[in-house]
Amino acid sequence: MAEIHQIEDQGQYLLDKLGDSILAVEIANIELTVKVAPESVVKILTFMRDDVNCEYTQLMDVCGVDFPERERRFDVVYHLLSMKQNTRARVTIETDEATPVPSVCSVFSSAAWFEREAWDLYGIFFSGHPDLRRILTDYGFEGHPLRKDFPLTGYVEVRYDDEQKRVVYEPVKLTQEFRNFDFLSPWEGMQQQLPGDEKVNLEEPREEANEA
C-alpha cells in the first residue's frame, strides 16, 4: 500500500506537469483524486498512463454520479490503477445532460463498455465513441434508470402476449396505489387509549417507597 507522502508527492507532480489542465487535487482514503475539465480528460489520462512516474496502465472503471440539484448534474469518475507504483487514483469531470464528454477509448480500450454503461444508465453522452449503444437495458427502454429523478416503477412494463406470440411493451399499471401514512413511524400509529390506561393518573405524584 502506498504511503500518504507518496500520494501527496504524486499529486504535486501532476500539478507541476499539468497545472493548466487540472482544476483541483484532493487526497481521501489514501487515494488521489484529480478534478479536470472535460476537454482535458484525454490529455490527462494519456499522461498518467505513459509517464514513468505515474504508469497508471489499468483503467478499472468508469462510472457516473448524479447530483440533480447542480447545473452540471453529472460527475464522470475514472478509476485508475498503477501496478508499478502500487497506487490508485481517480480522475473526475463534471458535465450536464446536453454536453458531450470526449471518449477515452483511444487511451484505454476497456473504456468502451464502461462508457456504454454510463450512457445507458445516466444518459451521459461520449463523443467519439465507436459504438455508443445501450448495454444493460433493452434497446426500446425509455429513460436512464440510475438518474435520481427516474421513477422507481419505470415508464413501461414488458410482458409476453400469448395471442400476439411476442413481447409487448405497455404503460406501467399499479394494481395498488402507493400508500401514504400520516405518521413518521409505525410506532406512532397507535393513538387510541389501551385497556387499563384509564386507571393511570399521570398527574398524581408518586408515593415514596416506605423505608425499611
Side-chain angles (χ1 to χ4, degrees), residues 71-97:
E71 181 179 357
R72 291 187 293 179
R73 64 182 293 180
F74 299 117
D75 275 1
V76 183
V77 186
Y78 304 82
H79 296 271
L80 304 172
L81 171 65
S82 172
M83 299 290 290
K84 182 79 173 189
Q85 306 292 340
N86 191 27
T87 57
R88 294 179 182 271
R90 63 178 65 89
V91 175
T92 67
I93 63 176
E94 293 184 4
T95 188
D96 54 30
E97 302 175 53

Side-chain angles (χ1 to χ4, degrees), residues 152-165:
L152 295 178
T153 57
Y155 295 110
V156 296
E157 56 187 1
V158 182
R159 68 176 180 86
Y160 181 78
D161 190 294
D162 194 52
E163 294 182 357
Q164 302 182 47
K165 304 298 182 184

Side-chain angles (χ1 to χ4, degrees), residues 45-184:
L45 292 185
T46 301
F47 179 88
M48 294 179 70
R49 181 196 65 184
D50 296 340
D51 186 83
V52 68
N53 293 313
C54 298
E55 296 189 283
Y56 287 97
T57 56
Q58 295 190 45
L59 177 67
M60 307 305 294
D61 188 25
V62 179
C63 62
V65 188
D66 187 15
F67 300 94
E69 69 279 1
R70 290 187 341 198
E71 181 179 357
R72 291 187 293 179
R73 64 182 293 180
F74 299 117
D75 275 1
V76 183
V77 186
Y78 304 82
H79 296 271
L80 304 172
L81 171 65
S82 172
M83 299 290 290
K84 182 79 173 189
Q85 306 292 340
N86 191 27
T87 57
R88 294 179 182 271
R90 63 178 65 89
V91 175
T92 67
I93 63 176
E94 293 184 4
T95 188
D96 54 30
E97 302 175 53
T99 305
V101 174
S103 173
V104 298
C105 289
S106 60
V107 185
F108 295 103
S109 59
S110 61
W113 280 23
F114 295 143
E115 290 178 351
R116 284 181 59 185
E117 182 179 2
W119 158 248
D120 188 2
L121 301 182
Y122 289 96
I124 300 171
F125 186 82
F126 294 89
S127 61
H129 191 285
D131 186 25
L132 194 62
R133 294 177 291 129
R134 290 188 181 271
I135 190 172
L136 295 177
T137 62
D138 188 74
Y139 293 123
F141 193 87
E142 296 181 17
H144 305 280
L146 283 191
R147 289 187 179 185
K148 290 183 179 178
D149 52 7
F150 188 84
L152 295 178
T153 57
Y155 295 110
V156 296
E157 56 187 1
V158 182
R159 68 176 180 86
Y160 181 78
D161 190 294
D162 194 52
E163 294 182 357
Q164 302 182 47
K165 304 298 182 184
R166 66 180 182 87
V167 173
V168 296
Y169 294 84
E170 296 176 336
V172 173
K173 298 177 181 178
L174 300 178
T175 56
Q176 176 181 345
E177 294 295 333
F178 289 115
R179 291 177 294 172
N180 294 320
F181 297 96
D182 57 356
F183 45 86
L184 298 178

